[in-house]
Amino acid sequence: MKKFKFTFVILFAALGMYLYSIVTAPIPYRVIDQDNSGIVSLDEISELSNLKVRTLIKTGEICRQYYWQHPDDTVHQVCKPSTASN
């Protein structure tokens, strides 16, 4: 019975970490699910640790660009109007 409780606790903790990784990710679920299967695999979750971000200042807006390992592999970009006055 103790083995069952221990296994249950470990599985519950793993599920919690899996869900936490998805919920707190700065990119949408559809971007995390790289193969568009509808299910985020553990491989795709581990890719979140390789996610990098850079800030770009464009005319009239500031953008946060998210990319995997290489800067040319942009996966998601969020822009908002710049509040700087001229």
Side-chain angles (χ1 to χ4, degrees):
M1 190 59 141
K2 277 189 174 188
K3 272 188 176 180
F4 177 73
K5 287 181 183 178
F6 180 74
T7 303
F8 181 74
V9 168
I10 295 297
L11 288 175
F12 188 73
L15 178 63
M17 289 188 301
Y18 172 82
L19 293 174
Y20 179 79
S21 296
I22 293 172
V23 170
T24 61
I27 57 177
Y29 183 86
R30 63 179 167 72
V31 178
I32 298 171
D33 183 19
Q34 296 174 33
D35 61 359
N36 296 320
S37 66
I39 298 171
V40 176
S41 68
L42 294 178
D43 240 6
E44 292 166 332
I45 288 290
S46 70
E47 282 292 314
L48 287 175
S49 64
N50 294 328
L51 189 66
K52 309 291 182 206
V53 64
R54 65 176 160 221
T55 302
L56 303 173
I57 300 174
K58 297 181 178 181
T59 306
E61 58 187 8
I62 299 173
C63 299
R64 292 186 63 112
Q65 194 174 62
Y66 297 92
Y67 58 94
W68 306 123
Q69 209 66 351
H70 305 288
D72 295 337
D73 297 340
T74 301
V75 294
H76 187 66
Q77 183 169 308
V78 178
C79 296
K80 59 183 176 182
S82 175
T83 57
S85 59
N86 294 341

